[in-house]
Amino acid sequence: MGPESLEAKQKAAIEEVLKAYPAKAAKNRAKHLGVGSPEDESQKTCGNVRSNKKTVPGVMSQRGCAYAGSKGVVWGPVKDMVHISHGPIGCGQYSRAGRRNYYIGTTGVDTFVTMNFSSDFQEKDIVFGGDKKLAVCFEEIDALFPLNNGITVQSECPIGLIGDDINATSKVYAKKTGNTIVPVNCEGFRGVSQSLGHHIANDTVRDYVFDGNVETLGEAIEPTEYDVAIIGDYNIGGDAWSSRILLEEMGLRVTAQWSGDATLKEMAQTPKVKLNLLHCYRSMNYISRHMEKEFGIPWVEYNFFGPTQTYKSLRKIAAFFDEKIQAKCEEVIAKYEPMINAVVDKYKPRLEGKQVMLFVGGLRPRHVIGAYEDLGMEVIGTGYEFAHDDDYKRTKDEIMRSTVIYDDVNEYELEAFVKKLEPDLVASGIKEKYVFQKMGLPYRQMHSWDYSGPYHGFDGFAIFAADMDLAINSPVWGYSKAPWETEGEA
């Protein structure tokens, strides 16, 4: 299909999708749907879409809430702290171990990521308040898990509604024990999506970790000229570890990684590094900018999905350091190039020409585009659950040709786009998987890599390529037909 016919098909798909809405809803959603192309300089964002606006009431959005942004993304993976879900049990249970933030340690002894800590609000707590219950939780946690290095309080919606003062309760206990207690006012109803939860959590890192009293956790790390920190990698399936291997092979020392497999001590000592490496821009740009402003630490966004972007990012990182690091960077690339070439030689003939539609959160709607292109595949639709305009501006640099852009797409729209554009693969979040598989479409879950991974770095690319091949070329699809392939069905 030529570029013009593809773009025309994409624009027609948007027009047809909007026809199903009442006029007011159509006017609203039209601002969040568009066709982007790398050559179009007239558009403010990719596809000229608006973002970070409230979801249309009544539609089934895929967004998370502010609590999800703080608990599930920023604080939850910090392994040596206990994270209390303060409120009814539902939010705590739903957010427990939903993502595979791998870590090293002994669960229940010195690491607590997969455990569920909740104040378990009941009706009487809603009526009379839960401050006393929270104070008891602190006591019980320190009695049962004495090796924890701190506690965070992740407030759920009812906490903000009844006015529980988690800040005061935390302050009293922190003063009494000298422990790090971080109250995070991340009630789910705040903001339009989980994005605000990221920002709120970043602010508490600033206030309670950098400006707090956590430097007494053991001996300080002796700084070197090559210290870097990985920021915004949640170690899904071991991604941070596969990235760290490459950075350390090129002579850098990773003294901290957030927040997958992170410790409070690493976080507290991050302002001493020479360069912050930012993977998930959306969730951690706030704290990276703070460190740049207050401590003079530069930051650089990098992309370790697929060899082309990994080569580019490694060289961009090396450019911040001396010729010794730059030479070792080339050695690392030369070392892995034969392995990568073998992966491409094996899988590209099986995947070339296949079309993909993406819909995920964070950085992946743009960062993974290059990995698919390294395998000869093409992304014809992409969008974010909770992006801001700067995410869409960055997306424009990643797309190869015209692409449907959908912000905060709902179930109806995503299904309609898939039916109209007929991709070979849908790579999206957790909730959509079985919808598309019932349509007879190959699907990959790109929040937790469908329990595979890692996908970052050179080792990760080999797994990514094998997984995409397995999804698309599985013989099972020969036994299933999409509804539009059956005569008489829409």
Side-chain angles (χ1 to χ4, degrees):
M1 185 184 299
E4 290 183 3
S5 59
L6 176 62
E7 187 170 350
K9 190 174 180 180
Q10 291 166 335
K11 288 180 177 176
I14 291 175
E15 285 181 16
E16 194 163 334
V17 162
L18 291 174
K19 283 180 183 174
Y21 286 118
K24 187 176 179 181
K27 184 179 178 183
N28 180 310
R29 286 305 300 160
K31 298 170 184 173
H32 299 267
L33 305 172
V35 177
S37 75
E39 300 84 18
D40 191 347
E41 297 297 330
S42 66
Q43 299 179 337
K44 292 181 180 178
T45 63
C46 194
N48 215 22
V49 298
R50 290 177 64 187
S51 61
N52 199 33
K53 303 294 180 186
K54 286 186 178 179
T55 298
V56 174
V59 304
M60 190 177 286
S61 171
Q62 304 303 312
R63 283 174 163 172
C65 64
Y67 163 86
S70 177
K71 167 66 162 54
V73 177
V74 178
W75 275 113
V78 178
K79 66 181 180 182
D80 62 343
M81 299 178 74
V82 170
H83 309 288
I84 303 174
S85 294
H86 188 40
I89 188 64
C91 298
Q93 179 59 19
Y94 184 71
S95 63
R96 183 185 70 88
R99 295 172 74 182
R100 297 173 308 120
N101 305 113
Y102 280 7
Y103 55 83
I104 295 169
T106 304
T107 301
V109 177
D110 58 2
T111 53
F112 311 97
V113 174
T114 54
M115 300 180 74
N116 186 7
F117 295 86
S118 171
S119 52
D120 189 20
F121 257 47
Q122 304 297 317
E123 288 180 359
K124 63 182 177 59
D125 301 312
I126 299 292
V127 175
F128 296 108
D131 293 347
K132 290 180 180 176
K133 197 167 194 177
L134 182 59
V136 172
C137 289
F138 292 152
E139 299 276 1
E140 289 182 351
I141 286 168
D142 280 338
L144 292 169
F145 306 103
L147 295 184
N148 81 78
N149 281 329
I151 299 171
T152 73
V153 182
Q154 309 290 318
S155 56
E156 300 172 16
C157 287
I159 305 307
L161 295 173
I162 65 174
D164 257 14
D165 193 347
I166 65 170
N167 300 63
T169 307
S170 300
K171 188 175 181 180
V172 168
Y173 190 73
K175 189 175 181 180
K176 174 184 168 185
T177 61
N179 297 341
T180 299
I181 311 295
V182 183
V184 191
N185 300 102
C186 56
E187 294 85 2
F189 59 76
R190 301 184 64 182
V192 300
S193 71
Q194 71 185 78
S195 178
L196 183 63
H198 304 148
H199 200 159
I200 292 168
N202 276 207
D203 287 349
T204 56
V205 172
R206 176 197 64 199
D207 296 340
Y208 290 87
V209 179
F210 293 165
D211 299 340
N213 184 33
V214 298
E215 293 187 4
T216 54
L217 287 173
E219 293 184 10
I221 297 172
E222 193 66 32
T224 75
E225 290 301 309
Y226 302 119
D227 290 351
V228 297
I230 295 174
I231 308 289
D233 190 319
Y234 302 102
N235 209 29
I236 300 168
D239 285 320
W241 297 335
S242 61
S243 302
R244 192 168 178 151
I245 287 169
L246 300 179
L247 297 168
E248 293 182 345
E249 280 192 32
M250 61 191 270
L252 301 175
R253 188 174 74 155
V254 180
T255 60
Q257 61 182 46
W258 299 16
S259 55
D261 198 29
T263 65
L264 181 60
K265 179 179 179 179
E266 285 182 28
M267 296 173 73
Q269 297 196 113
T270 302
K272 296 178 180 176
V273 302
K274 298 296 182 292
L275 179 66
N276 277 326
L277 307 177
L278 181 54
H279 189 59
C280 182
Y281 173 86
R282 184 70 276 133
S283 61
M284 288 285 193
N285 79 87
Y286 315 102
I287 198 66
S288 299
R289 293 180 194 279
H290 174 74
M291 283 189 271
E292 183 177 44
K293 181 182 176 184
E294 296 298 322
F295 306 107
I297 303 169
W299 59 272
V300 60
E301 190 179 4
Y302 71 99
N303 178 0
F304 279 178
F305 285 109
T308 301
Q309 292 300 326
T310 305
Y311 297 153
K312 188 177 173 182
S313 291
L314 287 173
R315 288 177 174 131
K316 184 164 68 173
I317 293 166
F320 280 86
F321 297 92
D322 56 24
E323 291 180 354
K324 175 186 164 188
I325 297 296
Q326 292 167 23
K328 291 198 68 130
C329 170
E330 295 302 324
E331 288 177 18
V332 170
I333 291 172
K335 173 186 171 183
Y336 286 98
E337 216 163 16
M339 182 196 92
I340 291 300
N341 290 340
V343 171
V344 173
D345 289 345
K346 179 178 179 180
Y347 291 106
K348 191 169 182 177
R350 298 171 60 81
L351 297 170
E352 191 157 28
K354 302 293 185 186
Q355 295 185 325
V356 186
M357 288 183 67
L358 299 168
F359 182 61
V360 212
L363 54 99
R364 283 154 285 177
R366 63 176 181 275
H367 271 195
V368 298
I369 291 174
Y372 285 110
E373 290 175 353
D374 285 331
L375 295 168
M377 304 169 75
E378 180 184 13
V379 174
I380 60 169
T382 190
Y384 301 79
E385 295 172 4
F386 48 81
H388 296 205
D389 285 357
D390 48 1
D391 292 299
Y392 286 105
K393 286 176 183 172
R394 285 172 164 78
T395 305
K396 191 175 175 183
D397 298 332
E398 306 294 337
I399 58 175
M400 186 169 64
R401 61 170 176 161
S402 70
T403 305
V404 176
I405 306 293
Y406 29 75
D407 175 65
D408 184 27
V409 73
N410 55 56
E411 285 284 2
Y412 153 68
E413 290 173 2
L414 190 55
E415 287 181 39
F417 284 136
V418 168
K419 287 175 183 174
K420 298 297 177 189
L421 300 177
E422 302 180 21
D424 299 291
L425 175 73
V426 178
S428 184
I430 298 167
K431 306 176 191 76
E432 303 86 9
K433 177 172 183 172
Y434 300 104
V435 173
F436 294 115
Q437 288 197 337
K438 285 175 182 175
M439 288 183 179
L441 272 173
Y443 182 92
R444 286 302 300 183
Q445 195 262 91
M446 292 297 281
H447 273 298
S448 287
W449 315 149
D450 253 343
Y451 308 98
S452 181
Y455 283 173
H456 292 182
F458 298 133
D459 291 337
F461 178 67
I463 297 169
F464 173 83
D467 282 354
M468 297 309 132
D469 176 48
L470 197 63
I472 291 178
N473 294 312
S474 169
V476 72
W477 303 116
Y479 299 96
S480 176
K481 276 195 171 184
W484 55 80
E485 292 175 342
T486 304
E487 192 174 350
E489 291 194 33

